[in-house]
Amino acid sequence: NTWHEATVIYQDGTANFYLDGVHAGSQRVNFDFVNQNPTPSIGITDYSNGATFKGWIKDLTVSAR
């Protein structure tokens, strides 16, 4: 029952994850939206059964810098 701020910054093939402003980890990723799924999803954990994130997302911002 506590709100948290989660931030993901993607740059040069690496996604850095921050929770409440503290670096929580990073992962090399390949976002190829042109040749794959052009509609990224937030909260999908298993495409085969539609399992989703259980909670609330407030004030979502997606931006390019």
Side-chain angles (χ1 to χ4, degrees):
N1 295 328
T2 303
W3 285 100
H4 294 278
E5 178 183 10
T7 304
V8 178
I9 299 175
Y10 173 75
Q11 183 175 4
D12 299 325
T14 300
N16 285 286
F17 178 74
Y18 296 84
L19 185 60
D20 295 327
V22 177
H23 188 255
S26 62
Q27 179 69 46
R28 294 282 302 162
V29 292
N30 178 16
F31 289 124
D32 186 0
F33 295 126
V34 174
N35 296 318
Q36 295 179 15
N37 182 358
T39 308
S41 299
I42 296 172
I44 301 298
T45 58
D46 185 344
Y47 287 103
S48 67
N49 67 8
T52 59
F53 168 76
K54 306 290 191 230
W56 299 95
I57 296 175
K58 180 181 177 225
D59 300 330
L60 175 66
T61 302
V62 177
S63 61
R65 295 184 183 185

